[in-house]
Amino acid sequence: MKLEGQVALITGAGRAGKGIGRAIALRLAGEGAKIVIVDYVAEAAEAVAKEVEQMGGEALALQANVADASDVERMVQAAVDRFSKIDILINNAGITRDNLLVRMSEAEWDAVLDTNLKGVFNCTKAVAKLMMRQRTGKIVNMSSVMGIVGNVGQANYSASKGGVIAFTKSVAKELGSRGINVNAVAPGFIQTAMTEEMPEDARKGIEDRIPLRRLGTPEDVAEVVLFLCSDASSYITGQVIAVDGGLAM
């Protein structure tokens, strides 16, 4: 298996149903990785950990707020206490607080930037210290096509995801000499619990804008993440791969 013996820490991986984090956790576990599942809600992380264990994998569920640096340090230490190392970091935790700019509150702006961008900073900084000592590691940051093209009502979300892209490129340059690959994945419209709640006409309108004429699946994203975590991507760093059916080209 591609990731046999490796330890992967995935934030925001406790999403119920068809969440991207959950799909990544199950896919990496299927390739032999030991999985640390982190979520803001403890029960959500534990549920996915049980799924990993039911498929024969090994998992640790942790509750943490990625926007809190001290909480992240505690989370990383708990993962190391259990598995002794971290080989892979997937910065997947993210939230939305959509609103038009002139109606957006400071609280809505701060909440999204704190989780989506500061959270990536906190987790990467904490895990990078370990990876630098190991002189190896894979970091995958979840951005969004909205961080590339923007979106009405998502100035906060788009800014956070655009920041993740710039952060990825900078950190890739800093850590490359230590054998650490840092890349970003930018999903488009993906079939999740949120998109399933959309009205049929709105969903059809989105599909008509996508060259492949369908929404993506969490598994579509997970396959790309697996590639970036495996030895097959050993000479790829600082890149942004859009998984969007051609929406942003």
Side-chain angles (χ1 to χ4, degrees):
M1 294 189 287
K2 295 178 182 178
L3 304 179
E4 185 72 37
Q6 297 195 46
V7 177
L9 188 153
I10 309 168
T11 68
R15 182 74 178 264
K18 297 182 178 180
I20 291 173
R22 170 183 172 273
I24 293 170
L26 298 179
R27 189 68 184 92
L28 300 192
E31 291 295 336
K34 299 175 183 178
I35 309 296
V36 180
I37 296 166
V38 180
D39 200 271
Y40 187 72
V41 179
E43 294 79 5
E46 291 164 2
V48 177
K50 288 180 181 177
E51 288 190 76
V52 171
E53 292 167 350
Q54 286 169 357
M55 60 187 287
E58 190 173 352
L60 170 66
L62 296 174
Q63 186 280 332
N65 176 7
V66 297
D68 184 328
S70 62
D71 218 20
V72 168
E73 291 287 351
R74 174 191 59 78
M75 168 193 81
V76 170
Q77 187 59 55
V80 172
D81 287 345
R82 171 71 177 270
F83 294 121
S84 301
K85 61 175 184 172
I86 298 174
D87 302 290
I88 297 165
L89 169 65
I90 312 296
N91 282 308
N92 175 72
I95 63 171
T96 58
R97 296 289 186 272
D98 296 350
N99 214 337
L100 294 175
L101 174 64
V102 295
R103 297 175 183 170
M104 186 175 292
S105 68
E106 184 177 358
E108 289 171 331
W109 174 271
D110 288 346
V112 172
L113 270 291
D114 280 353
T115 297
N116 296 8
L117 186 55
K118 184 182 177 182
V120 172
F121 163 76
N122 286 338
C123 295
T124 303
K125 180 180 179 181
V127 174
K129 296 174 185 177
L130 301 173
M131 292 182 172
M132 289 173 72
R133 289 197 292 269
Q134 297 168 181
R135 301 194 70 83
T136 185
K138 301 276 191 174
I139 299 173
V140 181
N141 299 321
M142 301 305 295
S143 180
S144 167
V145 293
M146 301 315 165
I148 301 171
V149 302
N151 197 30
V152 174
Q154 290 193 311
N156 50 1
Y157 184 78
S158 297
S160 72
K161 294 302 187 177
V164 167
I165 290 173
F167 177 85
T168 297
K169 292 178 178 293
S170 296
V171 176
K173 291 181 177 181
E174 289 188 22
L175 300 182
S177 63
R178 301 298 183 98
I180 302 168
N181 302 69
V182 187
N183 292 288
V185 173
F189 288 101
I190 305 298
Q191 294 175 16
T192 62
M194 182 173 63
T195 57
E196 287 182 349
E197 294 173 359
M198 295 174 62
E200 184 60 31
D201 57 341
R203 181 185 175 98
K204 183 64 167 58
I206 291 172
E207 291 176 348
D208 289 344
R209 293 165 52 196
I210 300 171
L212 290 183
R213 294 296 188 271
R214 69 172 179 88
L215 301 186
T217 68
E219 289 72 26
D220 289 329
V221 180
E223 289 294 338
V224 175
V225 173
L226 171 61
F227 166 70
L228 292 174
C229 293
S230 72
D231 288 339
S233 64
S234 62
Y235 201 55
I236 297 174
T237 198
Q239 302 305 304
V240 182
I241 300 180
V243 185
D244 66 348
L247 178 65
M249 64 178 175

